[in-house]
Amino acid sequence: MAEMPTLDHFYKQYKNDPNAVVIMADVDNNYEKANAFMKKHQYVLPVYTLASNIPEDIMDGTIPTTLVFNKKGELVFRHTNTANYNSTGFRDYFNKLTKE
């Protein structure tokens, strides 16, 4: 969960942007544990449960996995393992997507 501080900060930056949606999905089916973790660390990023399984060609089971979709619903970025969501490169890329 090393990426959580930067992901929470990223969420705070974009939560009011009408061109961006940031979703944290509990993929290991333990919402209570995930939500307790978020509260313990005072993260504001909401946690959602899945209504159905994510297709394996998108999510292979690696946790964490970052998925970014454009406004057309197309998968445009996929990263497994930890990431720094405050990096200049990722922010520039995401900002460009929100302007499209």
Side-chain angles (χ1 to χ4, degrees), residues 71-94:
K71 291 178 184 176
K72 297 176 187 175
E74 301 164 330
L75 179 64
V76 294
F77 178 84
R78 182 179 181 277
H79 177 78
T80 57
N81 297 313
T82 60
N84 178 359
Y85 300 97
N86 287 325
S87 72
T88 302
F90 187 78
R91 265 205 209 147
D92 289 349
Y93 177 73
F94 197 80

PDB file of all heavy atoms in Angstrom, residues 71-94:
ATOM      1  N   LYS A  71     -12.306   9.335 -22.006  1.00  0.00           N
ATOM      2  CA  LYS A  71     -13.729   9.684 -21.976  1.00  0.00           C
ATOM      3  C   LYS A  71     -14.586   8.766 -22.851  1.00  0.00           C
ATOM      4  O   LYS A  71     -15.792   8.685 -22.670  1.00  0.00           O
ATOM      5  CB  LYS A  71     -13.925  11.138 -22.395  1.00  0.00           C
ATOM      6  CG  LYS A  71     -13.380  12.109 -21.371  1.00  0.00           C
ATOM      7  CD  LYS A  71     -13.531  13.537 -21.831  1.00  0.00           C
ATOM      8  CE  LYS A  71     -12.893  14.480 -20.848  1.00  0.00           C
ATOM      9  NZ  LYS A  71     -12.923  15.864 -21.303  1.00  0.00           N
ATOM     10  N   LYS A  72     -13.948   8.058 -23.778  1.00  0.00           N
ATOM     11  CA  LYS A  72     -14.669   7.124 -24.626  1.00  0.00           C
ATOM     12  C   LYS A  72     -14.801   5.749 -23.966  1.00  0.00           C
ATOM     13  O   LYS A  72     -15.396   4.849 -24.533  1.00  0.00           O
ATOM     14  CB  LYS A  72     -13.950   6.967 -25.971  1.00  0.00           C
ATOM     15  CG  LYS A  72     -13.893   8.236 -26.788  1.00  0.00           C
ATOM     16  CD  LYS A  72     -13.082   8.007 -28.043  1.00  0.00           C
ATOM     17  CE  LYS A  72     -12.870   9.296 -28.799  1.00  0.00           C
ATOM     18  NZ  LYS A  72     -11.979   9.100 -29.959  1.00  0.00           N
ATOM     19  N   GLY A  73     -14.204   5.595 -22.780  1.00  0.00           N
ATOM     20  CA  GLY A  73     -14.247   4.315 -22.085  1.00  0.00           C
ATOM     21  C   GLY A  73     -13.158   3.355 -22.514  1.00  0.00           C
ATOM     22  O   GLY A  73     -13.201   2.172 -22.171  1.00  0.00           O
ATOM     23  N   GLU A  74     -12.187   3.856 -23.255  1.00  0.00           N
ATOM     24  CA  GLU A  74     -11.091   3.018 -23.737  1.00  0.00           C
ATOM     25  C   GLU A  74      -9.970   2.988 -22.704  1.00  0.00           C
ATOM     26  O   GLU A  74      -9.598   4.017 -22.149  1.00  0.00           O
ATOM     27  CB  GLU A  74     -10.538   3.570 -25.055  1.00  0.00           C
ATOM     28  CG  GLU A  74     -11.573   3.656 -26.144  1.00  0.00           C
ATOM     29  CD  GLU A  74     -11.142   4.550 -27.305  1.00  0.00           C
ATOM     30  OE1 GLU A  74     -10.390   5.513 -27.090  1.00  0.00           O
ATOM     31  OE2 GLU A  74     -11.586   4.265 -28.432  1.00  0.00           O
ATOM     32  N   LEU A  75      -9.429   1.795 -22.456  1.00  0.00           N
ATOM     33  CA  LEU A  75      -8.298   1.655 -21.557  1.00  0.00           C
ATOM     34  C   LEU A  75      -7.071   2.259 -22.230  1.00  0.00           C
ATOM     35  O   LEU A  75      -6.661   1.818 -23.296  1.00  0.00           O
ATOM     36  CB  LEU A  75      -8.046   0.178 -21.229  1.00  0.00           C
ATOM     37  CG  LEU A  75      -6.876  -0.131 -20.310  1.00  0.00           C
ATOM     38  CD1 LEU A  75      -7.104   0.455 -18.925  1.00  0.00           C
ATOM     39  CD2 LEU A  75      -6.662  -1.633 -20.215  1.00  0.00           C
ATOM     40  N   VAL A  76      -6.506   3.300 -21.616  1.00  0.00           N
ATOM     41  CA  VAL A  76      -5.378   3.998 -22.238  1.00  0.00           C
ATOM     42  C   VAL A  76      -4.102   3.887 -21.407  1.00  0.00           C
ATOM     43  O   VAL A  76      -3.033   4.273 -21.867  1.00  0.00           O
ATOM     44  CB  VAL A  76      -5.701   5.489 -22.511  1.00  0.00           C
ATOM     45  CG1 VAL A  76      -6.802   5.609 -23.558  1.00  0.00           C
ATOM     46  CG2 VAL A  76      -6.086   6.216 -21.229  1.00  0.00           C
ATOM     47  N   PHE A  77      -4.217   3.347 -20.189  1.00  0.00           N
ATOM     48  CA  PHE A  77      -3.038   3.204 -19.333  1.00  0.00           C
ATOM     49  C   PHE A  77      -3.303   2.070 -18.353  1.00  0.00           C
ATOM     50  O   PHE A  77      -4.386   1.991 -17.758  1.00  0.00           O
ATOM     51  CB  PHE A  77      -2.787   4.503 -18.565  1.00  0.00           C
ATOM     52  CG  PHE A  77      -1.623   4.452 -17.615  1.00  0.00           C
ATOM     53  CD1 PHE A  77      -0.328   4.677 -18.063  1.00  0.00           C
ATOM     54  CD2 PHE A  77      -1.825   4.195 -16.263  1.00  0.00           C
ATOM     55  CE1 PHE A  77       0.741   4.638 -17.177  1.00  0.00           C
ATOM     56  CE2 PHE A  77      -0.765   4.157 -15.370  1.00  0.00           C
ATOM     57  CZ  PHE A  77       0.521   4.378 -15.836  1.00  0.00           C
ATOM     58  N   ARG A  78      -2.322   1.196 -18.209  1.00  0.00           N
ATOM     59  CA  ARG A  78      -2.422   0.088 -17.257  1.00  0.00           C
ATOM     60  C   ARG A  78      -1.061  -0.077 -16.602  1.00  0.00           C
ATOM     61  O   ARG A  78      -0.041  -0.169 -17.284  1.00  0.00           O
ATOM     62  CB  ARG A  78      -2.823  -1.197 -17.962  1.00  0.00           C
ATOM     63  CG  ARG A  78      -2.990  -2.372 -17.028  1.00  0.00           C
ATOM     64  CD  ARG A  78      -3.419  -3.625 -17.828  1.00  0.00           C
ATOM     65  NE  ARG A  78      -3.612  -4.737 -16.958  1.00  0.00           N
ATOM     66  CZ  ARG A  78      -2.647  -5.528 -16.516  1.00  0.00           C
ATOM     67  NH1 ARG A  78      -1.395  -5.325 -16.888  1.00  0.00           N
ATOM     68  NH2 ARG A  78      -2.914  -6.534 -15.709  1.00  0.00           N
ATOM     69  N   HIS A  79      -1.053  -0.107 -15.282  1.00  0.00           N
ATOM     70  CA  HIS A  79       0.197  -0.278 -14.540  1.00  0.00           C
ATOM     71  C   HIS A  79      -0.046  -1.204 -13.363  1.00  0.00           C
ATOM     72  O   HIS A  79      -1.010  -1.020 -12.622  1.00  0.00           O
ATOM     73  CB  HIS A  79       0.714   1.076 -14.029  1.00  0.00           C
ATOM     74  CG  HIS A  79       1.947   0.969 -13.202  1.00  0.00           C
ATOM     75  ND1 HIS A  79       3.192   0.782 -13.752  1.00  0.00           N
ATOM     76  CD2 HIS A  79       2.122   0.994 -11.862  1.00  0.00           C
ATOM     77  CE1 HIS A  79       4.085   0.716 -12.777  1.00  0.00           C
ATOM     78  NE2 HIS A  79       3.455   0.829 -11.617  1.00  0.00           N
ATOM     79  N   THR A  80       0.810  -2.211 -13.203  1.00  0.00           N
ATOM     80  CA  THR A  80       0.707  -3.092 -12.050  1.00  0.00           C
ATOM     81  C   THR A  80       1.815  -2.755 -11.061  1.00  0.00           C
ATOM     82  O   THR A  80       2.858  -2.238 -11.432  1.00  0.00           O
ATOM     83  CB  THR A  80       0.812  -4.577 -12.461  1.00  0.00           C
ATOM     84  OG1 THR A  80       2.040  -4.787 -13.153  1.00  0.00           O
ATOM     85  CG2 THR A  80      -0.357  -4.978 -13.347  1.00  0.00           C
ATOM     86  N   ASN A  81       1.535  -3.027  -9.809  1.00  0.00           N
ATOM     87  CA  ASN A  81       2.429  -2.744  -8.680  1.00  0.00           C
ATOM     88  C   ASN A  81       2.350  -1.271  -8.293  1.00  0.00           C
ATOM     89  O   ASN A  81       1.539  -0.517  -8.807  1.00  0.00           O
ATOM     90  CB  ASN A  81       3.852  -3.208  -8.963  1.00  0.00           C
ATOM     91  CG  ASN A  81       3.913  -4.723  -9.140  1.00  0.00           C
ATOM     92  OD1 ASN A  81       3.351  -5.458  -8.340  1.00  0.00           O
ATOM     93  ND2 ASN A  81       4.563  -5.187 -10.195  1.00  0.00           N
ATOM     94  N   THR A  82       3.193  -0.857  -7.386  1.00  0.00           N
ATOM     95  CA  THR A  82       3.091   0.493  -6.840  1.00  0.00           C
ATOM     96  C   THR A  82       3.444   1.553  -7.883  1.00  0.00           C
ATOM     97  O   THR A  82       4.138   1.282  -8.857  1.00  0.00           O
ATOM     98  CB  THR A  82       4.007   0.665  -5.614  1.00  0.00           C
ATOM     99  OG1 THR A  82       5.349   0.422  -6.006  1.00  0.00           O
ATOM    100  CG2 THR A  82       3.609  -0.277  -4.501  1.00  0.00           C
ATOM    101  N   ALA A  83       2.935   2.745  -7.629  1.00  0.00           N
ATOM    102  CA  ALA A  83       3.182   3.864  -8.528  1.00  0.00           C
ATOM    103  C   ALA A  83       3.190   5.159  -7.727  1.00  0.00           C
ATOM    104  O   ALA A  83       2.624   5.230  -6.640  1.00  0.00           O
ATOM    105  CB  ALA A  83       2.102   3.933  -9.609  1.00  0.00           C
ATOM    106  N   ASN A  84       3.810   6.177  -8.294  1.00  0.00           N
ATOM    107  CA  ASN A  84       3.810   7.504  -7.690  1.00  0.00           C
ATOM    108  C   ASN A  84       2.872   8.378  -8.513  1.00  0.00           C
ATOM    109  O   ASN A  84       3.221   8.816  -9.603  1.00  0.00           O
ATOM    110  CB  ASN A  84       5.218   8.092  -7.664  1.00  0.00           C
ATOM    111  CG  ASN A  84       5.244   9.494  -7.089  1.00  0.00           C
ATOM    112  OD1 ASN A  84       4.214  10.054  -6.713  1.00  0.00           O
ATOM    113  ND2 ASN A  84       6.425  10.069  -7.032  1.00  0.00           N
ATOM    114  N   TYR A  85       1.693   8.629  -7.964  1.00  0.00           N
ATOM    115  CA  TYR A  85       0.690   9.407  -8.680  1.00  0.00           C
ATOM    116  C   TYR A  85       0.971  10.902  -8.635  1.00  0.00           C
ATOM    117  O   TYR A  85       0.263  11.671  -9.265  1.00  0.00           O
ATOM    118  CB  TYR A  85      -0.704   9.094  -8.134  1.00  0.00           C
ATOM    119  CG  TYR A  85      -1.029   7.642  -8.294  1.00  0.00           C
ATOM    120  CD1 TYR A  85      -0.842   6.744  -7.247  1.00  0.00           C
ATOM    121  CD2 TYR A  85      -1.469   7.152  -9.507  1.00  0.00           C
ATOM    122  CE1 TYR A  85      -1.116   5.396  -7.405  1.00  0.00           C
ATOM    123  CE2 TYR A  85      -1.737   5.808  -9.680  1.00  0.00           C
ATOM    124  CZ  TYR A  85      -1.558   4.933  -8.623  1.00  0.00           C
ATOM    125  OH  TYR A  85      -1.817   3.608  -8.783  1.00  0.00           O
ATOM    126  N   ASN A  86       1.999  11.290  -7.908  1.00  0.00           N
ATOM    127  CA  ASN A  86       2.397  12.697  -7.865  1.00  0.00           C
ATOM    128  C   ASN A  86       3.563  12.987  -8.792  1.00  0.00           C
ATOM    129  O   ASN A  86       4.072  14.107  -8.803  1.00  0.00           O
ATOM    130  CB  ASN A  86       2.762  13.111  -6.431  1.00  0.00           C
ATOM    131  CG  ASN A  86       1.536  13.223  -5.556  1.00  0.00           C
ATOM    132  OD1 ASN A  86       0.478  13.623  -6.012  1.00  0.00           O
ATOM    133  ND2 ASN A  86       1.676  12.842  -4.311  1.00  0.00           N
ATOM    134  N   SER A  87       3.983  12.007  -9.571  1.00  0.00           N
ATOM    135  CA  SER A  87       5.092  12.253 -10.499  1.00  0.00           C
ATOM    136  C   SER A  87       4.646  13.221 -11.589  1.00  0.00           C
ATOM    137  O   SER A  87       3.481  13.240 -11.998  1.00  0.00           O
ATOM    138  CB  SER A  87       5.577  10.951 -11.133  1.00  0.00           C
ATOM    139  OG  SER A  87       4.637  10.467 -12.065  1.00  0.00           O
ATOM    140  N   THR A  88       5.565  14.023 -12.051  1.00  0.00           N
ATOM    141  CA  THR A  88       5.273  14.994 -13.109  1.00  0.00           C
ATOM    142  C   THR A  88       4.766  14.286 -14.358  1.00  0.00           C
ATOM    143  O   THR A  88       3.803  14.740 -14.989  1.00  0.00           O
ATOM    144  CB  THR A  88       6.528  15.820 -13.433  1.00  0.00           C
ATOM    145  OG1 THR A  88       6.961  16.464 -12.237  1.00  0.00           O
ATOM    146  CG2 THR A  88       6.242  16.861 -14.500  1.00  0.00           C
ATOM    147  N   GLY A  89       5.378  13.184 -14.709  1.00  0.00           N
ATOM    148  CA  GLY A  89       4.982  12.457 -15.914  1.00  0.00           C
ATOM    149  C   GLY A  89       3.544  11.971 -15.858  1.00  0.00           C
ATOM    150  O   GLY A  89       2.788  12.129 -16.819  1.00  0.00           O
ATOM    151  N   PHE A  90       3.155  11.366 -14.742  1.00  0.00           N
ATOM    152  CA  PHE A  90       1.789  10.855 -14.623  1.00  0.00           C
ATOM    153  C   PHE A  90       0.788  11.997 -14.596  1.00  0.00           C
ATOM    154  O   PHE A  90      -0.243  11.945 -15.257  1.00  0.00           O
ATOM    155  CB  PHE A  90       1.630   9.969 -13.382  1.00  0.00           C
ATOM    156  CG  PHE A  90       0.286   9.301 -13.325  1.00  0.00           C
ATOM    157  CD1 PHE A  90       0.016   8.189 -14.106  1.00  0.00           C
ATOM    158  CD2 PHE A  90      -0.719   9.790 -12.505  1.00  0.00           C
ATOM    159  CE1 PHE A  90      -1.228   7.571 -14.074  1.00  0.00           C
ATOM    160  CE2 PHE A  90      -1.968   9.184 -12.462  1.00  0.00           C
ATOM    161  CZ  PHE A  90      -2.218   8.068 -13.251  1.00  0.00           C
ATOM    162  N   ARG A  91       1.100  13.042 -13.857  1.00  0.00           N
ATOM    163  CA  ARG A  91       0.183  14.193 -13.794  1.00  0.00           C
ATOM    164  C   ARG A  91       0.017  14.853 -15.148  1.00  0.00           C
ATOM    165  O   ARG A  91      -1.095  15.216 -15.537  1.00  0.00           O
ATOM    166  CB  ARG A  91       0.692  15.210 -12.785  1.00  0.00           C
ATOM    167  CG  ARG A  91       0.053  14.995 -11.481  1.00  0.00           C
ATOM    168  CD  ARG A  91       0.046  16.254 -10.682  1.00  0.00           C
ATOM    169  NE  ARG A  91       0.088  15.760  -9.319  1.00  0.00           N
ATOM    170  CZ  ARG A  91       0.674  16.338  -8.339  1.00  0.00           C
ATOM    171  NH1 ARG A  91       1.278  17.468  -8.507  1.00  0.00           N
ATOM    172  NH2 ARG A  91       0.656  15.814  -7.163  1.00  0.00           N
ATOM    173  N   ASP A  92       1.113  15.055 -15.860  1.00  0.00           N
ATOM    174  CA  ASP A  92       1.021  15.655 -17.194  1.00  0.00           C
ATOM    175  C   ASP A  92       0.159  14.801 -18.109  1.00  0.00           C
ATOM    176  O   ASP A  92      -0.673  15.318 -18.863  1.00  0.00           O
ATOM    177  CB  ASP A  92       2.414  15.835 -17.802  1.00  0.00           C
ATOM    178  CG  ASP A  92       3.216  16.937 -17.133  1.00  0.00           C
ATOM    179  OD1 ASP A  92       2.643  17.717 -16.331  1.00  0.00           O
ATOM    180  OD2 ASP A  92       4.437  17.008 -17.399  1.00  0.00           O
ATOM    181  N   TYR A  93       0.361  13.484 -18.052  1.00  0.00           N
ATOM    182  CA  TYR A  93      -0.418  12.562 -18.873  1.00  0.00           C
ATOM    183  C   TYR A  93      -1.902  12.652 -18.511  1.00  0.00           C
ATOM    184  O   TYR A  93      -2.762  12.773 -19.392  1.00  0.00           O
ATOM    185  CB  TYR A  93       0.096  11.138 -18.676  1.00  0.00           C
ATOM    186  CG  TYR A  93      -0.690  10.103 -19.428  1.00  0.00           C
ATOM    187  CD1 TYR A  93      -0.573   9.989 -20.807  1.00  0.00           C
ATOM    188  CD2 TYR A  93      -1.557   9.256 -18.763  1.00  0.00           C
ATOM    189  CE1 TYR A  93      -1.308   9.042 -21.505  1.00  0.00           C
ATOM    190  CE2 TYR A  93      -2.299   8.307 -19.448  1.00  0.00           C
ATOM    191  CZ  TYR A  93      -2.163   8.208 -20.816  1.00  0.00           C
ATOM    192  OH  TYR A  93      -2.894   7.277 -21.508  1.00  0.00           O
ATOM    193  N   PHE A  94      -2.208  12.628 -17.223  1.00  0.00           N
ATOM    194  CA  PHE A  94      -3.599  12.677 -16.785  1.00  0.00           C
ATOM    195  C   PHE A  94      -4.237  14.019 -17.133  1.00  0.00           C
ATOM    196  O   PHE A  94      -5.382  14.071 -17.582  1.00  0.00           O
ATOM    197  CB  PHE A  94      -3.690  12.404 -15.283  1.00  0.00           C
ATOM    198  CG  PHE A  94      -5.077  12.052 -14.841  1.00  0.00           C
ATOM    199  CD1 PHE A  94      -5.576  10.780 -15.017  1.00  0.00           C
ATOM    200  CD2 PHE A  94      -5.887  13.005 -14.254  1.00  0.00           C
ATOM    201  CE1 PHE A  94      -6.867  10.452 -14.622  1.00  0.00           C
ATOM    202  CE2 PHE A  94      -7.177  12.693 -13.846  1.00  0.00           C
ATOM    203  CZ  PHE A  94      -7.663  11.417 -14.030  1.00  0.00           C
TER     204      PHE A  94
END
